[in-house]
Amino acid sequence: MDFLTSGYDAYLESFFYTLMLFLVSGVLSLVLGTVLVACRVGPVAVLRVVGGWYVTIVRSTPLVVVFALFQFAAPMLGIRFGWVQVHIGTFDFTSFFAVAVVSLTLYTSTFVCEALRSGINSVPLGQAEAARAIGLTFGGTMSQVILPQAFRASVPPLASALIALIKNTSVAYIFGVGEAVAQMRIMTNNYASERPAIFLTYAAGYIVIVFVFSFFANRLEKHWRTA
Amino acid sequence: MSASVLFDSPGPRTRARHRIYSVLAALLLLLAAAWVIKGLDEHGQFAYAKWEAFVTPSYVQALLVDGLLKTLEMAVLAIAGAVLLGAALGLGKLSERRWIRWPAAAIVEFFRATPVLLLMIFIWYRLGINEDSSGFLAVVLALTLYNGSVLAEVLRAGINAVPKGQSEAAYAIGMRKSQVMSIVVVPQAVKIMFPAIIAQCIVALKDTALGTAVLAPGLMYVGKAIYNEQHNQVPTVLVVALLYVTVNLLLLWLATWAQKKYVGEKKLVVPMVGAAAPGRPA
């Protein structure tokens, strides 16, 4: 276990990048996913159609391809993220990190959109009709009756989409972000005889993150189901 | 959209307002599209030279045969393996014997929570990174393990979705457990699971693109070779994306068709990784 005694800090630091990728692109995916679902279920026909296309096409594209396309095309549109130079302690967040966050967000937001849409579709039509029948306004119907139920029903698929995001952050390694898998590759090169142990240690890191997230998602779902 | 849960059918004035919104939204989207096209055009991405490869027979053949065909081959092998592994692990998780149930559950949770890329790289090393076929095998094996674990959960959810009365009735007429499963429960469960299995094919097909990290053949590999030679990154990636999207849309259409034909409105609920397992069927 030489790699762990000498590389313990590197191990933790690499998972910090993984977590930051997850947190930043997770929050942005929730925002963009909400915008997308508003387009898809809203009354404006153009946005409904274009939103539908966007979701269908991006969801059918491999994440690696989304990454590659954004990485190659963005500089031509003047998007270079040269301004991203955040340094916190020993951690550096640069344009590579920004490209990874945008690619992960573009991809994950489509799954967030579908999760929210399945939640909205799960609310029976009678709920809206009853709310209107007792004289609630559009705003009242939405905020008091529809959205609370829709959001509760969205929690499990939303959690699944975010768990997939945790694992998908590993793809950022291919595009030059020094997150957990990238650090794992360095270790497997330096300690070739300990590869199975290194692999299991890094897998354990992901499993811990996934299980902790999943635990809280489950708690939230149970809490709201009984409410 | 008159059946929408969100808003009433609009009247004439609201419809007029929505038309205005539509026009504004269309204008904004057109502006955005124009900005993207102009940016790419300024860098000469629409020049014939950048696209010439995709009307040259040898390149097209490389893309379709060495690229698409290899990608499909990896996906089909992985799914075939995943169905077998999923059946074994799924039935293992449903076993009445604890010493079968727990290891099966642990394997499923482990492979569902580990990134496929990590698995791929590890298997690639185990097979020897200098071997010719190790990239191909690493993709197939990693995707088999991951998708097999997901399909194990799908199988369990499918079997749980068969009404309990079915197995109770089968036991009542004197069938043994193996008969109840093979004659009564599993055939009905497979019908319910079918759309989810096709959806998993889409996941497997998309994940074959990760093979680029282990030098596996496939669309991304051929694409990389083309743009390294022709320096036409954006057109090549667009063509690769188009091929993936086309195949996936066909699968998506098949899944929707199967859902309508075999399942109806009912949705299969597959618990997320790390969720407390719901009760086993009797």
Side-chain angles (χ1 to χ4, degrees):
Chain A
M1 297 293 269
D2 280 346
F3 75 94
L4 249 191
T5 44
S6 58
Y8 185 65
D9 288 338
Y11 175 78
L12 287 185
E13 276 173 23
S14 66
F15 269 106
F16 182 75
Y17 281 113
T18 294
L19 270 178
M20 285 308 285
L21 274 176
F22 167 59
L23 287 178
V24 178
S25 37
V27 170
L28 291 177
S29 299
L30 286 176
V31 173
L32 185 59
T34 311
V35 173
L36 277 174
V37 82
C39 287
R40 286 204 73 179
V41 301
V44 182
V46 174
L47 293 179
R48 222 158 46 215
V49 172
V50 175
W53 282 356
Y54 177 82
V55 170
T56 312
I57 291 174
V58 175
R59 241 160 51 109
S60 311
T61 313
L63 178 58
V64 178
V65 177
V66 175
F67 255 94
L69 194 58
F70 186 77
Q71 196 197 27
F72 291 136
M76 299 183 182
L77 304 177
I79 306 171
R80 286 195 183 78
F81 296 114
W83 49 271
V84 181
Q85 290 289 344
V86 184
H87 305 284
I88 307 170
T90 55
F91 299 103
D92 302 321
F93 300 99
T94 57
S95 60
F96 287 101
F97 187 82
V99 167
V101 163
V102 174
S103 308
L104 285 169
T105 302
L106 289 176
Y107 183 77
T108 310
S109 60
T110 61
F111 294 90
V112 169
C113 170
E114 288 306 274
L116 292 173
R117 208 166 64 98
S118 77
I120 292 172
N121 286 341
S122 74
V123 181
L125 187 57
Q127 294 286 323
E129 287 170 347
R132 281 175 205 133
I134 60 169
L136 282 179
T137 58
F138 175 74
T141 311
M142 290 300 262
S143 64
Q144 305 292 315
V145 180
I146 308 287
L147 289 183
Q149 297 186 63
F151 199 71
R152 275 169 210 191
S154 310
V155 168
L158 212 50
S160 289
L162 291 174
I163 287 172
L165 172 63
I166 297 175
K167 295 184 286 169
N168 281 337
T169 55
S170 60
V171 177
Y173 142 69
I174 302 175
F175 296 88
V177 179
E179 46 68 75
V181 174
Q183 186 62 39
M184 183 185 84
R185 290 303 303 273
I186 297 174
M187 293 228 183
T188 50
N189 285 339
N190 292 346
Y191 302 92
S193 60
E194 297 177 32
R195 273 183 195 139
I198 294 173
F199 162 75
L200 281 176
T201 315
Y202 277 90
Y206 281 101
I207 290 171
V208 166
I209 298 175
V210 167
F211 273 62
V212 167
F213 180 83
S214 171
F215 172 77
F216 285 110
N218 265 309
R219 280 261 304 251
L220 189 66
E221 199 224 333
K222 289 222 176 74
H223 177 72
W224 275 354
R225 198 194 293 152
T226 50
Chain B
M1 288 293 279
S2 56
S4 166
V5 68
L6 294 179
F7 45 83
D8 283 319
S9 327
R13 257 199 297 177
T14 313
R15 272 208 299 276
R17 207 176 59 213
H18 288 166
R19 266 198 294 278
I20 297 175
Y21 291 158
S22 275
V23 171
L24 285 177
L27 275 177
L28 271 176
L29 288 168
L30 282 177
L31 269 178
W35 172 64
V36 171
I37 289 170
K38 185 169 158 279
L40 293 180
D41 190 41
E42 274 170 4
H43 288 78
Q45 295 303 313
F46 296 110
Y48 178 69
K50 296 264 183 201
W51 294 84
E52 196 182 357
F54 307 114
V55 291
T56 310
S58 59
Y59 284 93
V60 174
Q61 198 194 347
L63 261 181
L64 293 180
V65 177
D66 302 331
L68 188 60
L69 210 61
K70 279 282 174 197
T71 292
L72 290 176
E73 208 177 302
M74 289 191 286
V76 167
L77 284 175
I79 281 293
V83 168
L84 292 178
L85 182 68
L89 288 174
L91 292 176
K93 277 194 78 170
L94 288 166
S95 169
E96 278 154 6
R97 293 179 182 81
R98 200 174 286 170
W99 59 271
I100 298 179
R101 200 164 70 231
W102 284 13
I107 293 171
V108 166
E109 294 294 286
F110 177 83
F111 286 114
R112 282 214 306 163
T114 311
V116 185
L117 184 59
L118 204 127
L119 286 175
M120 247 177 226
I121 293 172
F122 179 69
I123 296 172
W124 186 47
Y125 270 121
R126 295 306 289 177
L127 294 171
I129 57 176
N130 295 319
E131 303 286 326
D132 270 347
S133 59
S134 63
F136 182 90
L137 278 177
V139 171
V140 171
L141 289 176
L143 289 181
T144 299
L145 289 171
Y146 171 68
N147 291 299
S149 303
V150 176
L151 286 182
E153 283 299 310
V154 170
L155 179 84
R156 219 167 51 104
I159 284 175
N160 282 335
V162 176
K164 219 173 151 193
Q166 295 285 326
S167 54
E168 283 170 355
Y171 282 120
I173 59 170
M175 286 187 180
R176 273 179 285 114
K177 171 146 185 181
S178 59
Q179 290 175 309
V180 174
M181 276 301 205
S182 62
I183 300 174
V184 179
V185 178
V186 171
Q188 297 186 63
V190 166
K191 222 170 79 172
I192 305 176
M193 282 153 43
F194 199 53
I197 293 176
I198 298 172
Q200 208 55 39
C201 292
I202 298 180
V203 174
L205 189 71
K206 286 198 301 179
D207 282 348
T208 56
L210 291 172
T212 185
V214 294
L215 307 181
L219 271 173
M220 272 310 269
Y221 188 82
V222 175
K224 221 179 214 169
I226 291 179
Y227 71 62
N228 280 337
E229 188 187 311
Q230 303 276 327
H231 304 291
N232 57 348
Q233 281 85 347
V234 174
T236 307
V237 179
L238 279 176
V239 168
V240 167
L242 181 75
L243 287 171
Y244 270 114
V245 169
T246 311
V247 178
N248 281 331
L249 286 186
L250 285 176
L251 284 171
L252 198 64
W253 174 79
L254 189 66
T256 317
W257 172 83
Q259 177 85 22
K260 271 196 194 121
K261 183 161 168 66
Y262 294 120
V263 190
E265 291 295 301
K266 195 165 161 182
K267 272 195 82 178
L268 204 57
V269 181
V270 180
M272 64 182 140
V273 195
R280 294 183 301 119

